[in-house]
């Protein structure tokens, strides 16, 4: 079945790197996504990676995809307090299946 | 990207009543999607709203409870009918890039509390 799993919490210090991990089950996923949700807001599409890529970099964000292990990660370099939010990974199987979300807390 | 306006942004409703949520997009799109996010949970797809045809509902969601309208390519409504406290959630409208079901953009959501 379709299932996307993430750890629920991550706490880092300002200036450090954050790595949020995700595992998924459907190997036929075309795209894999990272969304950010700030308190009281909708979801913001942060970045995505096509399934035939293994890495994508976009400014402070680096996405790594290990298709063999069905593992996706999001690295945020130089994490800032404004990065505090819930981060959702999602796989695309004709519809988007979301993980439970990882709450990132950035301490000054 | 698409600009999606959703209203109301929040509401507090009484048990047994219904609420209609509106979603307006700044461009014409074939498919619009309605999601539910229960407190502390992830997002679950309720249905896909296609213009000119009936909405397609996911397992566990039925038209009588969540009727959807899609009168044109830029607008959709979701009604939450005969509400109970279990319906307290955030309801989100989304559209995909270039009218597809990929790279979804979301509205800011409707925070619904049912007493």
């Amino acid at each position: 079945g379709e299932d996307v799993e993430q750890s629920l919490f991550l706490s880092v210090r300002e200036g450090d790197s954050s790595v949020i991990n995700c595992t998924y089950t459907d190997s036929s996923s075309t795209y894999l996504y990272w969304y950010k949700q700030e308190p009281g807001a909708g979801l913001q599409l942060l970045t995505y990676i096509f399934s035939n890529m293994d890495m994508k970099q976009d400014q402070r964000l680096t996405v790594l995809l290990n298709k063999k292990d069905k593992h996706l990660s999001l690295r945020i370099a130089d994490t800032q307090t404004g990065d505090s939010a819930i981060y959702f990974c999602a796989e695309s199987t004709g519809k988007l299946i979301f993980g439970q979300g990882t709450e990132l807390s950035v301490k000054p | 990207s698409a600009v999606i306006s959703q209203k109301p942004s929040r509401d507090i409703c009484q048990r047994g009543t219904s609420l209609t949520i509106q979603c307006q997009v700044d461009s014409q799109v074939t498919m619009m999607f309605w999601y539910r996010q229960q407190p502390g949970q992830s997002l679950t797809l309720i249905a896909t709203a296609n213009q000119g045809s009936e909405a397609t509902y996911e397992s566990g969601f039925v038209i009588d409870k969540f009727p959807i309208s899609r009168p044109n390519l830029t607008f959709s409504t979701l009604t939450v009918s005969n509400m109970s406290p279990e319906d307290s959630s955030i309801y989100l409208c989304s559209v995909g890039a270039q009218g597809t079901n990929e790279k979804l953009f979301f509205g800011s959501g409707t925070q619904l509390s049912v007493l």
Side-chain angles (χ1 to χ4, degrees):
Chain A
E2 304 155 335
D3 197 17
V4 179
E5 295 196 356
Q6 304 175 236
S7 53
L8 296 181
F9 300 101
L10 176 66
S11 180
V12 300
R13 291 203 175 278
E14 194 172 20
D16 287 351
S17 291
S18 307
V19 179
I20 302 171
N21 294 301
C22 171
T23 57
Y24 61 97
T25 54
D26 195 325
S27 57
S28 66
S29 297
T30 48
Y31 289 95
L32 294 124
Y33 300 90
W34 285 103
Y35 284 86
K36 177 182 180 183
Q37 186 177 37
E38 295 182 74
L43 270 73
Q44 172 195 354
L45 177 58
L46 264 187
T47 186
Y48 60 91
I49 188 166
F50 191 53
S51 57
N52 69 354
M53 298 170 64
D54 51 22
M55 186 180 94
K56 179 178 180 180
Q57 189 149 3
D58 184 0
Q59 299 183 338
R60 292 191 297 124
L61 305 179
T62 302
V63 179
L64 295 178
L65 175 60
N66 181 329
K67 264 196 103 169
K68 175 175 164 290
D69 294 339
K70 299 191 186 72
H71 182 268
L72 182 74
S73 68
L74 173 70
R75 179 177 178 270
I76 305 173
D78 187 25
T79 313
Q80 303 297 307
T81 54
D83 294 323
S84 293
I86 300 176
Y87 291 80
F88 291 92
C89 75
E91 63 171 346
S92 172
T93 61
K95 62 182 181 183
L96 256 60
I97 306 297
F98 287 85
Q100 321 91 296
T102 299
E103 182 175 348
L104 174 64
S105 172
V106 183
K107 300 189 185 318
Chain B
S1 65
V3 176
I4 304 169
S5 303
Q6 216 178 305
K7 57 181 181 182
S9 58
R10 59 177 63 239
D11 208 341
I12 300 172
C13 300
Q14 294 297 320
R15 181 195 298 261
T17 63
S18 298
L19 176 72
T20 295
I21 302 167
Q22 299 180 6
C23 180
Q24 179 79 50
V25 188
D26 68 341
S27 57
Q28 294 185 336
V29 292
T30 309
M31 289 186 284
M32 295 175 77
F33 306 91
W34 287 99
Y35 281 83
R36 180 175 75 183
Q37 185 179 23
Q38 292 177 298
Q41 303 286 320
S42 185
L43 281 78
T44 303
L45 179 63
I46 297 171
T48 303
N50 300 305
Q51 198 272 332
S53 63
E54 283 208 1
T56 305
Y57 289 83
E58 297 297 309
S59 175
F61 298 96
V62 295
I63 188 170
D64 289 346
K65 176 67 176 176
F66 297 102
I68 287 172
S69 79
R70 186 78 206 275
N72 57 53
L73 289 172
T74 63
F75 187 78
S76 178
T77 67
L78 170 76
T79 299
V80 187
S81 303
N82 188 25
M83 289 183 284
S84 67
E86 292 71 38
D87 295 319
S88 298
S89 291
I90 300 173
Y91 292 84
L92 296 128
C93 165
S94 72
V95 302
Q98 288 121 29
T100 70
N101 60 353
E102 297 286 357
K103 306 184 190 79
L104 296 189
F105 300 98
F106 285 83
S108 53
T110 297
Q111 172 91 57
L112 170 62
S113 297
V114 184
L115 303 179

